[in-house]
Amino acid sequence: MSSDGTLASNPWIAVEALDNEAFARLRRRAIFDCCKWDPQVGDTCVIARHPLVITHAAWREVSTLAQALAAETLAAEAELTRRPALLRRLGIPRSVRRALRRVSSAGPARDAARLMRFDFHYTTEGWRISEVNADVPGGLNEASGFAPLMAPHYPSTTGVGDPVDAYVKALVAAVGPRATIGLVHATAYCDDQQMMTFVARRLEAAGVSVHLASPAHLRWRDGSAWLHATWWQGPLDGIVRFFPAEWLTRLPSETGWPLVFAGSRTPLSNPATAIVVQTKRFPLIWDALETRVPTWRALLAETRDPRDAPWRASDEWVVKPALGRMGEGVGVRSVVDPMEMRRIDRSVRWCPGAWVAQRRFHPLPIEIDGVPAFPCLGVYTLDGRVVGAYGRVARLPLIDGSAADAAVLAA
Amino acid sequence: MVHTKEEAFAIWAPEDARWSEWVVPVAFLHPAPPGSGTAHTTELPSIPVAAAPAGAIVIDLPGAEAVTAGLSLASHGVRPVPLFSGTHGPSAVIDVVPITQSLIEGAERLRRCVIPPDAPPAFLLDSRRNETPIVRAGDYDNRWMALPQDFPSGPLLIGSGIEVATVIQRGSLDLPSDLAHVLRRWQDAGMRIDVVDLASGRRAENAVVPKPSLFKRIWYATIALLGLRRSNVGGFGSPIPEDTDNGGILG
């Protein structure tokens, strides 16, 4: 270890940020070419002025780890759907557990183009992951769109992959050309629609017909999905789901939402069984699995039920909601506002089975123009193969909705 | 002169203007057949700018009328900041196309206004955003809510010399619940909140914004949208209330 505490194999290469003029142009292109419709969150611009530049060696290393994680995750998911007795410990709602129990009778939902994103952090102990986004991994428009915008300003770098390009190819391979795909999402949120629109454009360019719709528009006939919308009704050859699995249970019964968990004959990306590995309580059942998860054990910080961890008395533990996303509700005592921490405390007391305690890791910052920043590298796997990355950078060691999206380049 | 969508956005969000970063881009990207916007009309609504102390303005009016109101304020040196976050889809519950048309068609008028770079902001909202209690099954439900993260914070506004916010709406002095989440934060930071009802001409000065339900709860946006409609929950980012075996609610 060097005298400043960083490891000799620090994966990041510090670069200078873009100047104001170049950044203004990039921001405009991000909006109009990459569907980045939420560039400002509160007082914070959430487009990074610099890329995350990783060494080629580190990218190869993290790619190998991500592919191992993906294989373990898919195997564990398959086992968990066959063993419903373990679901109760996962902190997923009762209605979801009921839906998952149908796998044994209806069979698993047909899947296609399984997309996941593993969030890596480089720490004092090397690479660690904070979570997998196995259910509805976001950030695709930024991951595919930002690198081509940034790369010309950093000529010694290369991209690490275009995840949407790979995703579209996999979807087309699954459903065939001239197919009709429903991109199902929460239609109220423009930050959800932006990603769907970006993917839709690429699918249309590949000859696929697309419909951006709500899951409330789904109907089923003999296990096959139909779109039942005012503007169009007809069979779907595939569904891209960007709607969290645990939200499906809030839909009316006529939407047939249980088939997204089990029994769908229409290929789903992703089937809702992904929730069993999406939950942050997934590590709590590892010892009960026949599937071995050595990469998970090596990379994920120690995880316990909050009733079994001293998180209230120790800064070395954080608490997280089992189904939290985007860093919301994460209780990091030295980072989170005290009033918010008290709210989290009450929530954990009231419903500990919906939370998890995790030993803190200590991410190493990089310096950009003299200012420390904490990077997070989200590595996408598609059917087990790495296809690209989504970078985020935060001023604090907590990646939440105010973290800036960063292009990922390698050098 | 007719501008492209990108040109119109650049006019509404010039790089040297203090509040341009908050202009929400999505409204500029919807389909916009020419000729149906209202911003090109010469008759603009009378906005009581002279009666408003220097400060931020929040225009909460229906659809394109909010755009024309913003243009009216622009002629008085106020920077209009469109915050229209509604998505677009076929058979949409909220017709957002007139907003897009008005933004594009109004861009030339705005371009001719002289607005200092540090001019105070007038945030533009569509008051129809979460109305329409009856939604036909099969429609594209694009109702939305204003959220605190759509706006600058109270401390930032105060640091910019803005200590008053005037809400301009029609039909009531009562504040919509989603906007109350924003304004209560501003009030807690030390800003004064005034409310003007264009319909009656009434005005509430230094209004007390009551603490709304779920104020500052981390899952506010999610839970509020659940209340908005049952069949199309909006967005994600948090767990949603759900019964569990452990009692209470999940999340």
Side-chain angles (χ1 to χ4, degrees), chain A residues 8 40 50 55 66 88 93 95 105 109 130 135 151 161 182 215 237 273 296 338-339 341 348 357 366 377 400 410:
Chain A
Q40 185 81 8
H50 56 86
T55 65
R88 192 185 168 93
S95 52
S105 57
S130 51
D135 187 38
D237 300 300
T273 45
W296 270 99
M339 185 175 296
M341 201 65 213
V348 177
I366 56 174
L377 181 68
D400 60 13

Side-chain angles (χ1 to χ4, degrees), chain A residues 129-395:
Chain A
I129 58 169
S130 51
E131 62 174 359
V132 63
N133 285 278
D135 187 38
V136 286
L140 286 174
N141 51 315
E142 294 95 342
S144 281
F146 282 13
L149 298 181
M150 271 290 185
H153 300 280
Y154 302 89
S156 61
T157 63
T158 59
V160 297
D162 183 338
V164 174
D165 182 66
Y167 193 39
V168 166
K169 286 176 176 159
L171 287 167
V172 173
V175 302
R178 293 179 293 280
T180 300
I181 291 181
L183 281 75
V184 164
H185 65 290
T187 54
Y189 274 16
C190 68
D191 49 352
D192 290 11
Q193 195 187 58
Q194 68 182 17
M195 194 181 91
M196 294 288 92
T197 299
F198 189 86
V199 173
R201 287 177 183 171
R202 297 273 192 105
L203 282 168
E204 287 176 317
V208 174
S209 296
V210 299
H211 292 278
L212 272 66
S214 159
H217 293 131
L218 291 178
R219 299 293 184 271
W220 301 81
R221 299 183 185 182
D222 296 325
S224 295
W226 278 62
L227 194 70
H228 186 78
T230 306
W231 68 90
W232 190 81
Q233 293 95 46
L236 295 173
D237 300 300
I239 292 174
V240 169
R241 179 176 64 88
F242 194 58
F243 193 87
E246 69 271 25
W247 288 54
L248 291 168
T249 64
R250 305 287 295 191
L251 295 169
S253 59
E254 58 263 31
T255 66
W257 61 263
L259 281 116
V260 185
F261 289 87
S264 169
R265 296 168 60 183
T266 301
L268 306 174
S269 176
N270 296 317
T273 45
I275 194 173
V276 302
V277 290
Q278 172 69 48
T279 170
K280 291 179 178 56
R281 287 179 68 92
F282 170 51
L284 303 190
I285 51 83
W286 285 347
D287 289 344
L289 290 177
E290 294 169 6
T291 304
R292 294 184 62 244
V293 290
T295 316
W296 270 99
R297 290 183 187 273
L299 295 181
L300 188 72
E302 181 185 359
T303 303
R304 300 182 190 175
D305 184 286
R307 290 165 285 199
D308 300 328
W311 63 275
R312 286 190 179 88
S314 170
D315 281 346
E316 284 304 303
W317 290 86
V318 303
V319 283
K320 301 180 179 181
L323 294 175
R325 302 170 195 262
M326 293 178 66
E328 287 189 4
V330 174
V332 185
R333 198 164 290 277
S334 59
V335 173
V336 172
D337 173 79
M339 185 175 296
E340 183 58 32
M341 201 65 213
R342 284 194 289 275
R343 290 197 188 102
I344 291 171
D345 190 307
R346 281 197 297 273
S347 292
V348 177
R349 284 182 200 277
W350 182 239
C351 196
W355 291 79
V356 74
Q358 206 168 68
R359 195 179 289 275
R360 263 181 98 167
F361 55 71
H362 300 281
L364 292 175
I366 56 174
E367 277 208 0
I368 302 294
D369 292 342
V371 179
F374 294 89
C376 173
L377 181 68
V379 180
Y380 291 100
T381 65
L382 179 65
D383 296 328
R385 180 176 57 90
V386 168
V387 291
Y390 169 48
R392 282 168 295 168
V393 184
R395 290 293 172 89

Side-chain angles (χ1 to χ4, degrees), chain A residues 43 97 187 193 247 328 340, chain B residues 140-141 153 218 233 238 245:
Chain A
D43 296 343
R97 299 200 301 270
T187 54
Q193 195 187 58
W247 288 54
E328 287 189 4
E340 183 58 32
Chain B
Y140 189 91
D141 194 349
S153 68
I218 52 174
V233 295
S238 311
D245 290 332

Side-chain angles (χ1 to χ4, degrees), chain B residues 4-29:
Chain B
T4 66
K5 293 176 184 179
E6 190 167 336
E7 288 169 349
F9 178 80
I11 292 169
W12 283 89
E15 288 170 17
D16 64 341
R18 177 71 179 88
W19 308 106
S20 286
E21 290 163 319
W22 282 268
V23 173
V24 175
V26 66
F28 293 85
L29 298 163

